[in-house]
Structures are given as structure tokens and as C-alpha cells.
Amino acid sequence: MGNEPLTASLERVFGYETFRPGQQAALEALEAGNDSLAILPTGAGKTLIYQLYGYRHAGCTVIVSPLLSLMADQVDRMRLGGFRRSAAITSQTSYTDRQTILDQLADLQFLFLSPEMLAQPKMLTRIKQLTISLFVVDEAHCIVQWGPDFRPEYLLLGAIKEQLGNPLTLMLTATAGQATRQEIAKQLRSQPTIVTESVNRANIFLDVDRVNDEADKKERLQQLVSRLQGPGVIYFSSKQLATDTAEWLQATTGVRAAAYHAGLSGEDRFKIQQQFMSGELDLICATSAFGMGIDKNDIRYVIHYHLPGDLESYAQEIGRAGRDGQPSVAILLYAPGDEQLPLALGQANRPDEAEIAQYYAQPTKFDDSEPTVHLLAFYRQHGISQAAVQRLFVKREQERNRALAGMVAYAREDHCLRQRWLAAFDEQAPAHTEDCCAPQATPLDIGRLDLGRVVNSADKATPMDWQTQLARLF
Amino acid sequence: MGPADLLQLLDQTQPRRVRAIENLLRGRRTVSTLYWGQRYQLLALLSLAKQLDRGALDAAAQQVVQQGLASWDANHERLVLTPRGLAAQQSATYFHPQTADWWPTIDLMTARQRILLAVQVASQFSHHAGHYLPLTTDMATRQFVRNWFHQVKANDLGTQVLAALTTSLAKLDPLVAAVVTGQFTGYQQAGQTLGQLSQTTQRTPWEIQLMQFEGLAQIMQDAKAPTNPFNSLLQPLWQTPVSRSAQITLNTVKQGQTLAQIAGERRVKVSTVREHLLEAAIMLPLAAFPYDRLLAPATRDQFKAVVQGPVDDWQYTELPEALQKQYEFFYFRLYAIWVGKQGEQHGK
């Protein structure tokens, strides 16, 4: 199969005649034996790149993926797509399931692992015995966003890759500025061919709504949801607030809303996703766990209730809107002081100088289940000195603050949001027009955007008796 | 679990330990938890909410007290209903399951996964839809349902499943039938989450759970018939309510071995053997446990002569010293279980 032209494989496996932008360039780099860093917007079909490569080459494609609870969904989707020899192992995989997968390891074509699982010596030994055709790091920006102070196992990926004999590597992400790209390449000890498409999405209107305080924000949110045409997604930083707001909006605006976050059971996640896909829900109140694998093209609005920590996350999340190319809107609700929350969330997991010193003085006296201690234990066990750890956290704080400052600057931008946004990715924005964005001082004109809510009477399903409902299933 | 749910688990005359109820729900199979579960006649709840955290009922307990529906005993451990609480308990249109007696003998969690996935598979099959995302389950369930499907696959599978489910659900409260049906996933039907069903029916999430256990138990019961399409899928999920190791211990006792012999052979402590036996005594009907061998009628008479008042108030340490020397706690507890079961048998 190695000699078949890429487009012939594409047609054979997926039935498409042409690639989407970026897919072919990434595959060509891999086929030429070069690592590839593909920065392609949400919905560009990043999964297809490793699916097709895995199909064309013998051996196992190992995919490192960050979101534990969603990996099982991803495997289901692979199987549905015809890639039946797929499996995932995470800390959430039960002992029995894990044994079953390990027994069949040699036959797998695609194996999804969390970085923590891959870093376990026993697991690594097993993976070393595989013939790895391609090593994929999905959501590669997590190395930078989460690595140093949240999931340090990400920092081991470079060393792990070497231990695996430096397999051909594909790094995937939706958004990465120059600094992030360099850091990903450095961490993975790779000089990849970079494939990138513009992050700009001309059909998404950008809006920042300046509000005075929390109460004002809630009221504005309710107004927007009542007036905007769905389907929509609202992003929150907290599961509880996402859950409460979904209930409140459903009760007060009549939209059909549900919450979606990593705390839901697999069954609930499945049902909410399916309801949203089939149009039984107008609105999802989500945390950042929502997104991956949701192939819904007609999301009309994405609202951020909380300020994200950086423009890369923001770009990733608003990218869920308007994948069908139709007019859509991304709204950021911003109250003065909103930056305090991401600041606090960033600091929650970061030990200060005194804590680091105390830990290094008497490491055995601390409880390893505490996230901060776990982090320090990780560094200490990997031979990182106290001074180096202190420098690392200081540097990390500076980076986070810089990233947050970029986000705040976007929120407070007076002229053109798109320009501000794209500049963070070293891109030039087209000249500003009224159809581009509405910065904080400019009110959002929903009518002009043609995104006004049309209340469809069919939305109000008449309740069915259980016999009818049951009969409809069969 | 909220105050309305806890209210239903309390009694006006019998003070009940909140921690024991919590441990029962969380599936902590200690002898103490099981014993109080039996005393409160709540054994059906065993392991039905394994995901609960320790202390998960504390907030609800506090609320029923604040609302004047229950009050704490002196040690702040046991709750008893106030007259107002009793009135509230009786006036509430709270759901009361009819099938609860079967619950401890069914692996309900596995039954739920299998039934939900089997319904989805049969539904998609009857609409000739081969391409769909299956519900998220563990691999063992998926494998089992796959094998079942290949075994029962026939053109009229959908009709058969529909008929079986209709028969089972028609035996239940229509609301229960609606809740069970509402959560099914299948062809062009995503299915409601338990949270959504709770909202639309205005019932507490725990009531929705109870309703679905009721539905599952009825489907299980009807699937005992060899002609039921779910027969091979569900038959293996009937279980003895006693853990495996306790079952082994019990069988050996029935064969006539002494507790010390069993302990030696199984390489466990005599106290462990006793725990196994108490578990079996609590979980099994009177006739299924060798009381006469382990608690001779003469022994029962000795206890009977000295204990007084409600069983729940009996204290081993208040027995006459001679009796304490003669009989360890094990025999005293076994006697209490026996007395309790006698009461149940006489409809008390």
C-alpha cells in the first residue's frame, strides 16, 4: 500500500476525492520520513491524517491524548469509521478491560494512551515491543499549557519518544503561535515540518460584551440566549456553574439546554452529545472538555462566560462555531476583574518558593496525593534540583501572565478584535469593517448578523405515552 | 441524595444510624452495615449508590433536622422521625418500589448496562441501521451483548423485544414505565439522562434511580421465561446475595466442620469465619441458614431469659458476666439476627 498515491488511499478508505487544506501537506511530510507539526483549525480533519497514515503503513499508530474521559468516545468513533483494531488505555480503564487490551496489543492498529499511562515503566516496556508506525501527540499545545504545572508527564514525552527508538512523529493542534510551536518541537526533540493554515474564520463575527459585574453578566447572558438562533455553546470554567446555568436558562428562556463536562458519566455524555447532534438540544453549557469529537457543523454561537487563560484556548473554543461556513458569532462576556479567576486557577496548583524549599528539605513528610506535592515529587524523582524547579515555576508564572495579558488585551480592545486576535498568531487581519467584529464599546447587532432566534413550534415536542415511545424504537 | 429521599428511609420508632444507611448504599459489606441494613429493612439498597462519597448523606440529614422532620439521638448518630416528619413521609407521593425484595439477588448495575445496550442494538437492527455509535459500556458488556445479538438475531427481533418490554413495563406504575422507556437509546432516539428525567417528571434523581431499578428487576424477572428474547442475556445476572467467600464458608459448615477446622483449612482467622457466617445469616432466609447447628435451642433460651426490650437496644456488654464468658459476641449477634428474622417471618 506504501506505493499507492495518497489520493487513491483517501478515496479507498474515506470515499473523498480531495483532501482538505493541510491534510495532504502533513501526510506528504510523513511519507517522506519527516516529523510533522500540523496546526489546523478545529474541524479541519486532523484525525484523518493519522488514520490514513496508519492505514497505509504496517505497525501500530500510538496516539497520546490528554482528555481521559473522551478517549473511549474517540475509540468508538474510530471503530465506527471502520478502524476496528483501535483501543484506549487510561487511568479510567478498568483492570479487566486493560488486561484484554494488553493481550491483544500486537494486533492493534491504533492505540490511544494518556501521557501518564505511557510514562508508567511497565506500560512503556510493553509499548517498546510494538512496531510503531507513527507516534502522534494530539492536542500538542497541552505540552506547553499543562505540562509544567498541571500534568508534568507531558514533559517526559521527548525522552519517551527516544526510548521508543524515535518513531516518526505527528504533532497536532488547532492553535499554536510561534512560541508554542518552538516549545512543542523542543520538548519532543524534533525538527518537524510545520504545516499550518490560517486560524482566521471570516464567517465568525467577534464580539466582546462589556458588563459591570456578575449580576449584569447573568442578565446579559439570559438576553443573548433568548435572542440568538441556536444551536449554541456557552463555555464556563466551573462544572457546577455550567450545570446550574443550563437549568436556569432552560427554565427562564425556554431553550432546551444541558450541561456537558468531564464529570458526567460516559452514558450521560453519550446521550447529551447525541441530543445536541440531532437537534433535540439548542444549547450546551460546557467546560473545556466539550469539543473534541463533536462533529456538529451548524453551531451558530459560542459564548464565553469566563475569561479563558490565553488566546490559544479561546481560538480553539470559538472555532467550534460555524464550521459549515455560515454566519456565526463568538461572544466574550467581560466584567472588570474577570482576569482574577484564570489567575487564581493558574496559581492554585503552583507551589511558592517556601513550599518548594520545605518539600525538598523533607520530601517524605508530604502527602503525594495533593496535586502540588505530586508535581514536586515528579520533579524531584526526575532529578531536577530545587533551584531549577524554582526557576521553572517563576518562568511558568511569567508565561501564564503574559498569555493572560494577551487575552485581557483582546477583551479591552477598542478598535478591531480580529486584528488583535490574529496578531497573537503572527497573522495579518483583513481590513476592519462593520462585518468583522464589535469591540467592547460597540453594541452587538443580532438582527444585522441575521442570527435572530426563530422559535420553531416543532421544538416543543408533545409528550408521548410510553407505549408509543417504545414502539417507535422498534 | 436529598432530604426528601432520606426522609423515606427513616422511622418514627426506630432510631436509624445515618452512617449505616450511607455505608449500605455505598456497598460497604461489613457485618455491622449489613446487620443494621436488616434491622432497618433496607437491605434492598445495598450497593445501589457506590459512587457516593463518605459523608454524602450528612447534608440531607442536617436538612431534615432543620426542617423539624427528624431529630438526633443524644450521640448525634441516629435519626428518628418527629410526628411532623412522619406526616410528611406519609403524605409525600414518593415512589415505593414493589420489586425491592429481588434487588439483592440481581447484579443490577450489569443488568442495566446490558439491557440498555441490547435495546439500542435491537432498535437499530430493526430499522436496518448498521452504522451507529454504541452506548459507552465496559468491554465485557459489549462482548456479552454482541454474542447475545448473534445468537438471537432474527428478522422479528425488534418485534420480540418490543413485546417483551411492553409486557414487563405494563405490570408497573405508568410513571416507572415512562422513566424506563425514556432512558432507552436507539434508532433516532438519543435517550434521556437520569438528570433530565428527574427534571421532566419533577421527581428527585434518587426516585428516578429507584424507578429504573424497579423496571430492570421486572424485566429480569420476566426474562426467566426461556421464550423471552432477553433470557440468555440476563439469566446469568441472578446471584446469591451472599459474597463468594461467605458462601464457601457456609457450605463447609453445613457439611459439619467446626469453625476452627474451617479457619485452619481456609487459612483465615476464626473471626473471619464468623463474619462470613453472620453475613450469610443476615442475607439469607431463616431456612437457608443452619441456626440449629450454630445456635442450639438451649443457647437461645439462655439469651431469651436475660434480654429485654426492643432488639435494637440489646447490648452484649449488659449481659450477665457468666453468659458473656460462655458465649462470645458472635452468638449474641446471631441470636439477634434469628429473633429479627422470626419477626419478619411473622409479618412484623
Side-chain angles (χ1 to χ4, degrees):
Chain A
M1 254 174 285
N3 293 326
E4 187 180 74
L6 283 168
T7 44
S9 297
L10 179 71
E11 175 134 30
R12 182 201 300 272
V13 181
F14 294 96
Y16 306 145
E17 283 176 13
T18 51
F19 283 103
R20 293 218 215 133
Q23 288 174 334
Q24 189 160 6
L27 275 162
E28 279 168 356
L30 294 173
E31 292 287 343
N34 299 326
D35 288 358
S36 176
L37 166 57
I39 306 152
L40 300 175
T42 319
K46 290 189 281 287
T47 311
L48 179 138
I49 300 171
Y50 61 75
Q51 284 176 327
L52 201 65
Y53 191 90
Y55 164 78
R56 286 167 58 88
H57 297 267
C60 184
T61 296
V62 174
I63 303 121
V64 180
S65 174
L67 295 169
L68 305 185
S69 51
L70 302 186
M71 253 189 268
D73 300 6
Q74 215 169 357
V75 169
D76 283 343
R77 261 182 219 96
M78 291 288 286
R79 294 209 179 114
L80 188 64
F83 299 97
R84 303 200 68 83
R85 292 183 290 137
S86 307
I89 308 180
T90 71
S91 54
Q92 295 177 352
T93 312
S94 73
Y95 179 79
T96 351
D97 283 4
R98 193 182 299 187
Q99 289 310 313
T100 314
I101 295 168
L102 287 175
D103 288 345
Q104 302 163 348
L105 209 54
D107 296 324
L108 284 180
Q109 198 177 15
F110 296 94
L111 175 63
F112 293 81
L113 293 165
S114 58
E116 290 82 2
M117 192 50 71
L118 183 59
Q120 285 183 9
K122 268 191 191 160
M123 186 58 73
L124 191 56
T125 310
R126 294 296 305 269
I127 304 298
K128 272 189 206 161
Q129 293 160 357
L130 294 176
T131 311
I132 299 177
S133 63
L134 183 65
F135 185 68
V136 183
V137 181
D138 203 1
E139 314 279 348
H141 58 278
C142 292
I143 295 177
V144 182
Q145 257 178 27
W146 287 352
D149 48 13
F150 184 39
R151 293 174 68 175
E153 284 79 2
Y154 259 105
L155 305 181
L156 296 178
L157 286 180
I160 288 173
K161 183 176 156 248
E162 275 181 5
Q163 288 192 51
L164 293 174
N166 271 316
L168 186 65
T169 302
L170 170 66
M171 295 144 257
L172 294 171
T173 177
T175 47
Q178 289 297 347
T180 305
R181 290 175 203 181
Q182 278 166 18
E183 190 63 22
I184 292 172
K186 187 182 139 202
Q187 285 292 340
L188 289 176
R189 307 179 190 182
S190 169
Q191 276 104 39
T193 304
I194 293 178
V195 176
T196 171
E197 293 289 319
S198 168
V199 296
N200 190 21
R201 299 275 302 279
N203 65 314
I204 303 178
F205 186 87
L206 303 174
D207 173 64
V208 170
D209 264 20
R210 176 89 178 219
V211 292
N212 294 322
D213 49 32
E214 192 70 18
D216 198 13
K217 196 193 257 188
K218 251 186 108 173
E219 193 186 323
R220 179 68 183 139
L221 180 70
Q222 190 184 35
Q223 237 175 39
L224 285 169
V225 168
S226 317
R227 292 171 50 199
L228 279 167
Q229 177 60 39
V233 177
I234 309 173
Y235 278 102
F236 296 86
S237 303
S238 119
K239 291 179 205 168
Q240 191 58 51
L241 199 59
T243 308
D244 295 347
T245 311
E247 277 185 34
W248 174 67
L249 287 173
Q250 172 145 310
T252 58
T253 66
V255 297
R256 299 161 304 170
Y260 186 104
H261 50 73
L264 294 182
S265 69
E267 184 189 318
D268 283 3
R269 234 176 11 245
F270 175 95
K271 287 178 171 174
I272 303 283
Q273 271 178 29
Q274 298 293 314
Q275 290 172 7
F276 193 51
M277 293 298 289
S278 68
E280 288 170 57
L281 286 173
D282 311 306
L283 173 63
I284 295 277
C285 292
T287 62
S288 55
F290 178 80
M292 198 176 79
I294 308 285
D295 304 315
K296 191 163 175 66
N297 291 326
D298 60 348
I299 294 174
R300 296 274 69 90
Y301 66 88
V302 171
I303 300 175
H304 277 75
Y305 191 82
H306 290 130
L307 191 72
D310 54 82
L311 274 166
E312 289 181 352
S313 314
Y314 188 62
Q316 184 118 5
E317 287 162 7
I318 65 173
R320 319 265 177 232
R323 279 160 54 175
D324 55 6
Q326 297 302 307
S328 314
V329 62
I331 302 167
L332 172 66
L333 297 175
Y334 176 73
D338 270 2
E339 48 277 15
Q340 295 307 321
L341 183 63
L343 215 55
L345 289 175
Q347 268 156 6
N349 208 14
R350 190 178 314 127
D352 61 25
E353 207 169 314
E355 284 171 307
I356 298 173
Q358 278 166 11
Y359 175 78
Y360 268 78
Q362 289 178 305
T364 50
K365 287 211 161 169
F366 290 81
D367 173 12
D368 194 19
S369 63
E370 174 85 18
T372 315
V373 177
H374 177 76
L375 203 59
L376 289 173
F378 175 90
Y379 286 122
R380 194 177 155 273
Q381 279 154 19
H382 286 87
I384 317 279
S385 72
Q386 181 184 339
V389 169
Q390 277 176 352
R391 278 198 303 275
L392 182 140
F393 281 111
V394 170
K395 181 166 161 263
R396 182 66 188 142
E397 181 155 18
Q398 287 165 351
E399 281 164 10
R400 270 186 180 274
N401 289 347
R402 197 175 313 130
L404 181 59
M407 193 66 229
V408 173
Y410 176 87
R412 294 185 183 159
E413 168 67 36
D414 284 317
H415 174 59
C416 177
L417 294 171
R418 199 169 304 267
Q419 230 165 54
R420 173 69 73 176
W421 172 40
L422 292 176
F425 299 96
D426 308 299
E427 278 189 48
Q428 195 88 43
H432 176 75
T433 67
E434 282 189 336
D435 297 325
C436 163
C437 58
Q440 53 173 344
T442 315
L444 175 69
D445 185 348
I446 292 174
R448 198 188 134 84
L449 294 175
D450 205 15
L451 286 170
R453 182 177 171 197
V454 184
V455 178
N456 191 342
S457 56
D459 287 354
K460 289 267 165 261
T462 40
M464 249 183 286
D465 62 65
W466 68 266
Q467 289 93 339
T468 315
Q469 201 182 352
L470 193 62
R472 227 178 40 156
L473 278 170
F474 303 98
Chain B
M1 188 176 262
D5 306 307
L6 182 62
L7 183 72
Q8 296 296 326
L9 306 179
L10 300 177
D11 189 78
Q12 191 199 11
T13 52
Q14 182 184 44
R16 294 185 174 177
R17 266 169 232 280
V18 175
R19 190 72 70 218
I21 297 175
E22 175 189 303
N23 284 336
L24 199 64
L25 286 160
R26 296 173 74 205
R28 299 284 182 269
R29 292 185 81 103
T30 63
V31 170
S32 162
T33 299
L34 296 176
Y35 177 73
W36 289 111
Q38 187 226 338
R39 291 300 314 156
Y40 304 160
Q41 305 201 9
L42 294 177
L43 274 182
L45 301 183
L46 181 62
S47 301
L48 291 191
K50 282 189 169 168
Q51 76 292 348
L52 279 189
D53 293 325
R54 190 178 150 81
L57 297 186
D58 292 357
Q62 234 165 32
Q63 287 179 56
V64 288
V65 172
Q66 268 164 15
Q67 291 163 13
L69 303 174
S71 54
W72 289 110
D73 66 359
N75 297 329
H76 213 75
E77 278 177 351
R78 300 187 300 172
L79 282 178
V80 66
L81 286 181
T82 60
R84 230 175 97 198
L86 181 68
Q89 190 190 51
Q90 286 169 345
S91 74
T93 51
Y94 198 89
F95 172 67
H96 296 284
Q98 308 300 311
T99 58
D101 283 350
W102 302 334
W103 296 1
T105 57
I106 301 171
D107 180 352
L108 278 170
M109 301 305 154
T110 309
R112 175 164 199 280
Q113 288 211 34
R114 284 196 192 170
I115 292 171
L116 255 55
L117 185 58
V119 166
Q120 184 192 21
V121 169
S123 167
Q124 298 284 3
F125 176 71
S126 71
H127 286 96
H128 312 288
H131 213 63
Y132 57 92
L133 271 180
L135 270 168
T136 318
T137 58
D138 58 49
M139 290 167 80
T141 300
R142 190 173 288 195
Q143 192 57 46
F144 206 95
V145 172
R146 186 181 292 143
N147 293 343
W148 166 81
F149 176 62
H150 288 301
Q151 197 189 320
V152 298
K153 200 154 93 179
N155 285 335
D156 66 341
L157 176 66
T159 321
Q160 283 185 51
V161 170
L162 175 62
L165 289 174
T166 307
T167 308
S168 297
L169 296 179
K171 294 175 184 169
L172 306 172
D173 180 334
L175 185 57
V176 175
V179 162
V180 174
T181 308
Q183 66 169 334
F184 284 146
T185 298
Y187 181 72
Q188 293 190 348
Q189 186 165 312
Q192 303 281 105
T193 66
L194 297 179
Q196 288 171 330
L197 287 164
S198 158
Q199 272 179 30
T200 49
T201 56
Q202 304 277 308
R203 300 295 187 129
T204 70
W206 180 247
E207 267 186 290
I208 297 295
Q209 293 270 17
L210 295 176
M211 288 184 198
Q212 57 139 1
F213 293 140
E214 174 102 323
L216 295 172
Q218 189 61 54
I219 294 168
M220 284 285 300
Q221 180 67 19
D222 294 337
K224 281 180 170 176
T227 51
N228 185 295
F230 292 131
N231 180 267
S232 64
L233 183 74
L234 302 179
Q235 200 57 29
L237 298 179
W238 288 96
Q239 61 189 11
T240 150
V242 179
S243 68
R244 228 181 84 81
S245 46
Q247 188 70 50
I248 297 173
T249 302
L250 178 66
N251 291 341
T252 338
V253 168
K254 283 181 176 169
Q255 284 159 17
Q257 296 206 35
T258 66
L259 305 199
Q261 279 171 334
I262 298 169
E265 233 167 69
R266 298 199 60 199
R267 293 165 189 251
V268 294
K269 291 187 209 145
V270 174
S271 61
T272 307
V273 172
R274 287 180 174 158
E275 278 169 14
H276 286 164
L277 291 173
L278 289 175
E279 178 192 331
I282 293 165
M283 299 304 293
L284 295 172
L286 266 179
F289 190 86
Y291 284 100
D292 286 347
R293 238 181 71 68
L294 292 167
L295 194 70
T299 312
R300 289 177 218 163
D301 290 341
Q302 275 180 288
F303 282 126
K304 192 178 175 188
V306 293
V307 293
Q308 289 166 354
V311 180
D312 291 352
D313 295 341
W314 296 355
Q315 295 283 350
Y316 178 70
T317 47
E318 285 170 15
L319 293 180
E321 227 167 281
L323 207 58
Q324 285 191 43
K325 277 205 177 116
Q326 193 181 356
Y327 295 110
E328 289 183 75
F329 176 78
F330 167 73
Y331 297 96
F332 172 72
R333 183 43 46 99
L334 198 57
Y335 177 68
I337 295 167
W338 182 79
V339 171
K341 295 250 166 189
Q342 295 275 322
E344 277 172 36
Q345 214 176 33
H346 298 128
K348 204 189 131 224

